[in-house]
mmCIF file of all heavy atoms in Angstrom:
data_model
loop_
_atom_site.group_PDB
_atom_site.id
_atom_site.type_symbol
_atom_site.label_atom_id
_atom_site.label_comp_id
_atom_site.label_asym_id
_atom_site.label_seq_id
_atom_site.Cartn_x
_atom_site.Cartn_y
_atom_site.Cartn_z
ATOM 1 N N VAL P 94 86.370 44.194 -57.203
ATOM 2 C CA VAL P 94 85.860 45.189 -56.246
ATOM 3 C C VAL P 94 85.724 46.521 -56.938
ATOM 4 O O VAL P 94 84.705 47.240 -56.768
ATOM 5 C CB VAL P 94 86.751 45.282 -54.987
ATOM 6 C CG1 VAL P 94 86.360 46.427 -54.134
ATOM 7 C CG2 VAL P 94 86.615 43.930 -54.206
ATOM 8 N N ILE P 95 86.800 46.957 -57.599
ATOM 9 C CA ILE P 95 86.694 48.283 -58.304
ATOM 10 C C ILE P 95 85.525 48.323 -59.221
ATOM 11 O O ILE P 95 84.832 49.337 -59.351
ATOM 12 C CB ILE P 95 88.019 48.577 -58.972
ATOM 13 C CG1 ILE P 95 89.182 48.758 -57.994
ATOM 14 C CG2 ILE P 95 87.934 49.840 -59.951
ATOM 15 C CD1 ILE P 95 90.547 48.890 -58.671
ATOM 16 N N ALA P 96 85.327 47.257 -59.940
ATOM 17 C CA ALA P 96 84.131 47.293 -60.925
ATOM 18 C C ALA P 96 82.840 47.414 -60.262
ATOM 19 O O ALA P 96 81.837 47.799 -60.931
ATOM 20 C CB ALA P 96 84.222 45.940 -61.727
ATOM 21 N N ARG P 97 82.786 47.125 -58.951
ATOM 22 C CA ARG P 97 81.575 47.405 -58.238
ATOM 23 C C ARG P 97 81.236 48.909 -57.894
ATOM 24 O O ARG P 97 80.174 49.331 -57.553
ATOM 25 C CB ARG P 97 81.540 46.585 -56.905
ATOM 26 C CG ARG P 97 81.577 45.055 -57.100
ATOM 27 C CD ARG P 97 80.375 44.475 -57.681
ATOM 28 N NE ARG P 97 80.487 43.019 -57.907
ATOM 29 C CZ ARG P 97 79.826 42.086 -57.145
ATOM 30 N NH1 ARG P 97 79.041 42.608 -56.113
ATOM 31 N NH2 ARG P 97 79.964 40.820 -57.282
ATOM 32 N N TYR P 98 82.427 49.627 -57.899
ATOM 33 C CA TYR P 98 82.368 51.088 -57.587
ATOM 34 C C TYR P 98 82.421 52.014 -58.747
ATOM 35 O O TYR P 98 81.935 53.084 -58.715
ATOM 36 C CB TYR P 98 83.511 51.401 -56.631
ATOM 37 C CG TYR P 98 83.623 50.599 -55.405
ATOM 38 C CD1 TYR P 98 84.965 50.280 -54.808
ATOM 39 C CD2 TYR P 98 82.582 50.151 -54.697
ATOM 40 C CE1 TYR P 98 85.113 49.508 -53.704
ATOM 41 C CE2 TYR P 98 82.694 49.418 -53.526
ATOM 42 C CZ TYR P 98 83.938 49.083 -52.995
ATOM 43 O OH TYR P 98 84.066 48.432 -51.814
ATOM 44 N N ALA P 99 83.101 51.558 -59.826
ATOM 45 C CA ALA P 99 83.376 52.424 -60.961
ATOM 46 C C ALA P 99 82.830 51.910 -62.324
ATOM 47 O O ALA P 99 82.488 50.700 -62.368
ATOM 48 C CB ALA P 99 84.893 52.664 -61.081
ATOM 49 N N ASP P 100 82.712 52.794 -63.263
ATOM 50 C CA ASP P 100 82.178 52.397 -64.542
ATOM 51 C C ASP P 100 83.283 52.022 -65.550
ATOM 52 O O ASP P 100 83.005 51.417 -66.565
ATOM 53 C CB ASP P 100 81.364 53.485 -65.186
ATOM 54 C CG ASP P 100 80.215 53.888 -64.265
ATOM 55 O OD1 ASP P 100 79.227 53.140 -64.245
ATOM 56 O OD2 ASP P 100 80.239 54.984 -63.536
ATOM 57 N N ALA P 101 84.496 52.370 -65.256
ATOM 58 C CA ALA P 101 85.635 52.010 -66.065
ATOM 59 C C ALA P 101 86.995 52.119 -65.219
ATOM 60 O O ALA P 101 87.046 52.712 -64.198
ATOM 61 C CB ALA P 101 85.817 52.843 -67.304
ATOM 62 N N ILE P 102 88.015 51.423 -65.653
ATOM 63 C CA ILE P 102 89.239 51.411 -64.939
ATOM 64 C C ILE P 102 90.349 51.754 -65.964
ATOM 65 O O ILE P 102 90.491 51.109 -67.028
ATOM 66 C CB ILE P 102 89.460 50.050 -64.305
ATOM 67 C CG1 ILE P 102 88.358 49.574 -63.420
ATOM 68 C CG2 ILE P 102 90.878 49.993 -63.593
ATOM 69 C CD1 ILE P 102 88.511 48.178 -62.920
ATOM 70 N N VAL P 103 91.191 52.716 -65.524
ATOM 71 C CA VAL P 103 92.556 52.943 -66.240
ATOM 72 C C VAL P 103 93.589 52.252 -65.361
ATOM 73 O O VAL P 103 93.705 52.621 -64.185
ATOM 74 C CB VAL P 103 92.765 54.393 -66.457
ATOM 75 C CG1 VAL P 103 94.181 54.632 -67.095
ATOM 76 C CG2 VAL P 103 91.698 55.075 -67.251
ATOM 77 N N PHE P 104 94.307 51.460 -65.986
ATOM 78 C CA PHE P 104 95.344 50.616 -65.165
ATOM 79 C C PHE P 104 96.741 50.905 -65.815
ATOM 80 O O PHE P 104 96.996 50.650 -66.990
ATOM 81 C CB PHE P 104 95.087 49.116 -65.278
ATOM 82 C CG PHE P 104 95.915 48.284 -64.321
ATOM 83 C CD1 PHE P 104 96.429 48.805 -63.041
ATOM 84 C CD2 PHE P 104 96.263 47.047 -64.702
ATOM 85 C CE1 PHE P 104 97.195 48.006 -62.273
ATOM 86 C CE2 PHE P 104 96.991 46.164 -63.813
ATOM 87 C CZ PHE P 104 97.481 46.748 -62.607
ATOM 88 N N ARG P 105 97.639 51.400 -65.063
ATOM 89 C CA ARG P 105 99.020 51.669 -65.497
ATOM 90 C C ARG P 105 99.989 50.748 -64.594
ATOM 91 O O ARG P 105 99.991 50.893 -63.427
ATOM 92 C CB ARG P 105 99.356 53.190 -65.188
ATOM 93 C CG ARG P 105 100.744 53.650 -65.671
ATOM 94 C CD ARG P 105 100.844 55.075 -65.441
ATOM 95 N NE ARG P 105 102.092 55.725 -65.631
ATOM 96 C CZ ARG P 105 102.439 56.215 -66.914
ATOM 97 N NH1 ARG P 105 101.630 56.230 -67.818
ATOM 98 N NH2 ARG P 105 103.752 56.705 -67.027
ATOM 99 N N THR P 106 100.614 49.859 -65.389
ATOM 100 C CA THR P 106 101.277 48.776 -64.715
ATOM 101 C C THR P 106 102.579 48.433 -65.487
ATOM 102 O O THR P 106 102.976 49.125 -66.408
ATOM 103 C CB THR P 106 100.326 47.509 -64.600
ATOM 104 O OG1 THR P 106 100.986 46.562 -63.773
ATOM 105 C CG2 THR P 106 99.958 46.985 -65.892
ATOM 106 N N SER P 107 103.182 47.388 -65.083
ATOM 107 C CA SER P 107 104.410 46.840 -65.739
ATOM 108 C C SER P 107 104.087 45.787 -66.726
ATOM 109 O O SER P 107 103.975 46.026 -67.850
ATOM 110 C CB SER P 107 105.398 46.372 -64.694
ATOM 111 O OG SER P 107 104.844 45.536 -63.746
#
Side-chain angles (χ1 to χ4, degrees):
V94 170
I95 293 176
R97 301 292 181 104
Y98 303 146
D100 298 289
I102 305 169
V103 175
F104 189 33
R105 184 176 174 91
T106 186
S107 52

